[in-house]
Amino acid sequence: MANKETGNIHPLLPGPGRPKGSPNKITGNVKSMILGALDDLGGRIWLVEQAKADPRAFMSLLGRILPSEISVDTHVTHAPITEIRRTIIDPRIVEQEQTP
């Protein structure tokens, strides 16, 4: 007989859980509270004051919120390289050409 809450046949096994990609309600609530507190303290101006007072803590905060990987969309503006040649040059000849 299936458990109505979890959908599992065995009552002791956990259910399927939160679907992948769905937001966590607690994380969203905590984030909202933190942003509200930041607004109450003065927002950007307060953050600047904190950064000046304790730069190490501010840099730690930046390290936590900045993405660990940055993706860049690039476009090649020159013709693609289709051939690579290796040329051996006698350095004595190059030196003679450079001397006036």
Side-chain angles (χ1 to χ4, degrees), residues 88-100:
I88 300 174
I89 300 174
D90 186 350
R92 294 173 294 193
I93 296 173
V94 175
E95 288 176 8
Q96 290 172 2
E97 291 175 0
Q98 291 178 356
T99 331

Side-chain angles (χ1 to χ4, degrees), residues 1-82:
M1 180 154 106
N3 185 335
K4 290 182 182 179
E5 292 177 15
T6 63
N8 283 338
I9 296 174
H10 194 280
L12 298 179
L13 294 177
R18 186 169 39 95
K20 190 172 187 174
S22 65
N24 185 336
K25 291 178 185 177
I26 294 175
T27 302
N29 290 340
V30 170
K31 182 178 178 180
S32 177
M33 288 189 299
I34 291 170
L35 292 175
L38 178 61
D39 286 340
D40 293 346
L41 289 169
R44 184 175 177 181
I45 294 169
W46 183 80
L47 276 177
V48 171
E49 291 170 3
Q50 298 309 306
K52 289 177 181 177
D54 192 357
R56 293 179 94 185
F58 187 74
M59 296 306 286
S60 175
L61 173 66
L62 284 180
R64 293 174 190 269
I65 64 169
L66 293 177
S68 59
E69 294 181 17
I70 299 174
S71 62
V72 178
D73 184 20
T74 60
H75 299 285
V76 177
T77 58
H78 59 80
I81 298 172
T82 57

